[in-house]
Amino acid sequence: MNLLRAKLSKFTAPQEAKEAGIYPYFREIESDQDTEVVIDGKKVLMFGSNAYLGLTNHPKVKEAAIEATKKYGTGCAGSRFLNGTLDIHVQLEKRLAEFVGKEEAITFSTGFQVNAGVISCLTGREDYILWDELDHASIIAGMRLSFSEKYKYRHNDMESLEKQLLKCNPDKVKLIVADGVFSMEGDVAKLPEIVALAKKYNASVMIDEAHGIGVFGRQGRGTCEHFGVTNDVDLIMGTFSKSFASLGGFIASDSDTINWLRHNARTYIFSASITPASVAAANAALDIMLTEPERIENLWKLTHYALTGFKDMGCEIGHTSTPIIPLFIRDNNLTFLIVRELFEAGIFVNPVVSPAVPPQDTLIRFSLMATHTFKQLDYALEAIRNVFKKYNLI
């Protein structure tokens, strides 16, 4: 056995979890991605999806993807930089820019590639990136690729952010990067305070709206619109794999910034462009966001109902105020065990354990879609109540 394989063979945590019957990953879904899915021939309620508006199975979205495939084929066989730009790419980008209130936008093959490519090339060696300690892994990946100085600030702690800003050379570029909605904890960035500090210290701001678009703001335009700070946020990122019911991502900003990114972001230049089906699906989802506001309204009714239910139950849910509801377990193996028992009760939820979070912060991520029914939610609340009581968590 060579040295690399010898090193990697010591990683046995998955095998141990499988032997214990509590391995919760790569569960094979045999149906469409909806409020109810089929796994191993068994129907379970899906409370682990990021499809907040429930559009992955919408007839208009599916039909748009089919028609685009018929017209353009299954792929573009090249990058946007060379032979991979279609007219529908440009049309969607114009709509997205208008939707989030910026001059221009460009689309990437995934949301992860947006953050990895944009953050890594925006600032130089003598510049600074300031990031929330709970930012998404894609933000951290982009930051690691940058040659700039990096300063981490405590989660949603504006005093900590200001202390880090004070360390920066006032004459150099300073980029503050944060999630609009934090993907595991479900709490919302303090955007007005971040913007105020950015103005005070002449910094720029980039907000990841992956979990904010389709949920917050007028017609789902995101947390920046919700707080009225769109004009003060320099770059707005979004992904298509959540509310847009597709795959891909985008960055929106002023024309000069987009021009720079279009010619310098390596994950944009050197990756195959987003498929025609993905473009068309995202475009159709945008149509629905703009014309069916009742979806977002229902999502928030479900969210308030669920938050009240979990609080009344005595669950520890942190500071969430969104359709992402963390149920803290604070023990890795117990988290896995509870996920298994909930699955047996017909509930699909996601475990979040170390190293994704510290061992003392392990949780179950319970997320809502606008298409859930209150009957489904009541069933889930009761199942969770029974399992949590069994393990003295409530």
Side-chain angles (χ1 to χ4, degrees):
M1 185 181 292
N2 63 35
L3 292 176
L4 175 62
R5 186 174 175 186
K7 176 182 178 180
L8 301 182
S9 67
K10 296 177 183 178
F11 177 59
T12 60
Q15 298 93 305
E16 292 166 6
K18 288 177 183 178
E19 289 176 5
I22 56 174
Y23 185 72
Y25 303 118
F26 302 104
R27 290 175 278 184
E28 297 179 20
I29 297 173
E30 302 158 358
S31 63
D32 51 15
Q33 183 79 230
D34 213 333
T35 59
E36 185 178 79
V37 299
V38 177
I39 299 177
D40 291 334
K42 174 184 177 180
K43 290 183 179 181
V44 294
L45 294 177
M46 171 56 74
F47 286 98
S49 174
N50 293 320
Y52 301 114
L53 296 181
L55 297 179
T56 55
N57 205 34
H58 195 289
K60 291 182 180 178
V61 176
K62 293 196 291 187
E63 184 61 27
I66 292 168
E67 290 303 314
T69 301
K70 287 180 179 178
K71 179 176 180 178
Y72 297 97
T74 56
C76 298
S79 72
R80 288 291 304 279
F81 204 64
L82 298 174
N83 63 298
T85 293
L86 303 175
D87 53 356
I88 55 174
H89 287 120
V90 178
Q91 292 162 13
L92 177 60
E93 288 168 344
K94 289 179 179 178
R95 294 192 72 198
L96 290 168
E98 181 182 2
F99 183 64
V100 299
K102 292 299 175 186
E103 292 178 353
E104 292 190 43
I106 51 175
T107 55
F108 289 65
S109 301
T110 69
F112 196 105
Q113 285 181 308
V114 178
N115 283 337
V118 170
I119 297 168
S120 61
C121 80
L122 273 179
T123 56
R125 290 182 182 274
E126 296 181 349
D127 299 326
Y128 305 89
I129 299 173
L130 302 100
W131 58 288
D132 188 295
E133 64 180 347
L134 294 186
D135 275 347
H136 190 265
S138 58
I139 293 175
I140 296 171
M143 180 188 61
R144 286 175 175 171
L145 291 170
S146 171
F147 293 112
S148 301
E149 190 76 28
K150 297 98 173 175
Y151 290 144
K152 176 175 67 176
Y153 63 92
R154 291 191 298 273
H155 177 52
N156 254 348
D157 186 329
M158 296 301 100
E159 182 180 346
S160 176
L161 173 57
E162 184 161 23
K163 285 181 179 178
Q164 300 294 47
L165 284 164
L166 285 167
K167 296 179 182 178
C168 302
N169 184 329
D171 296 323
K172 299 299 180 182
V173 173
K174 297 166 285 294
L175 177 67
I176 303 169
V177 187
D179 290 358
V181 176
F182 291 89
S183 59
M184 295 298 132
E185 296 75 18
D187 54 345
V188 183
K190 298 178 179 178
L191 294 191
E193 293 92 332
I194 290 173
V195 164
L197 286 173
K199 289 181 178 180
K200 181 177 180 180
Y201 292 95
N202 193 23
S204 300
V205 179
M206 175 177 167
I207 296 300
D208 180 329
E209 288 277 27
H211 299 271
I213 288 179
V215 178
F216 279 91
R218 179 172 53 94
Q219 296 172 301
R221 295 170 196 262
T223 56
C224 295
E225 202 278 341
H226 171 76
F227 285 110
V229 296
T230 296
N231 293 336
D232 300 307
V233 172
D234 300 273
L235 299 104
I236 295 176
M237 175 270 183
T239 183
F240 299 150
S241 57
K242 278 75 176 175
S243 293
F244 283 99
S246 184
L247 183 66
F250 72 92
I251 190 74
S253 188
D254 61 89
S255 297
D256 290 335
T257 300
I258 295 300
N259 179 57
W260 167 266
L261 293 172
R262 188 178 280 121
H263 296 89
N264 287 276
R266 296 172 70 85
T267 59
Y268 177 78
I269 296 172
F270 297 104
S271 289
S273 57
I274 182 175
T275 66
S278 296
V279 175
N283 196 48
L286 180 56
D287 285 339
I288 295 167
M289 280 189 221
L290 293 171
T291 58
E292 297 183 17
E294 62 272 14
R295 284 183 175 268
I296 299 176
E297 293 169 6
N298 195 55
L299 176 63
W300 279 106
K301 289 177 183 177
L302 290 161
T303 297
H304 295 316
Y305 186 86
L307 288 171
T308 299
F310 284 124
K311 288 175 183 176
D312 290 346
M313 197 187 303
C315 291
E316 184 184 355
I317 62 172
H319 300 290
T320 183
S321 58
T322 70
I324 300 169
I325 304 175
L327 304 173
F328 285 93
I329 307 299
R330 304 195 181 282
D331 179 277
N332 266 12
N333 286 339
L334 183 57
T335 300
F336 288 150
L337 181 60
I338 289 175
V339 166
R340 186 189 72 183
E341 294 206 11
L342 287 174
F343 181 78
E344 291 171 352
I347 305 296
F348 185 112
V349 288
N350 292 314
V352 183
V353 300
S354 62
V357 294
Q360 67 273 16
D361 291 336
T362 61
L363 58 91
I364 286 170
R365 185 182 184 275
F366 183 95
S367 53
L368 292 159
M369 292 182 274
T371 45
H372 278 123
T373 66
F374 285 94
K375 182 179 180 180
Q376 290 173 329
L377 184 50
D378 281 334
Y379 181 87
L381 288 169
E382 185 59 28
I384 290 169
R385 181 194 306 275
N386 292 335
V387 175
F388 275 37
K389 273 187 176 182
K390 177 179 177 180
Y391 292 99
N392 298 314
L393 290 169
I394 56 174

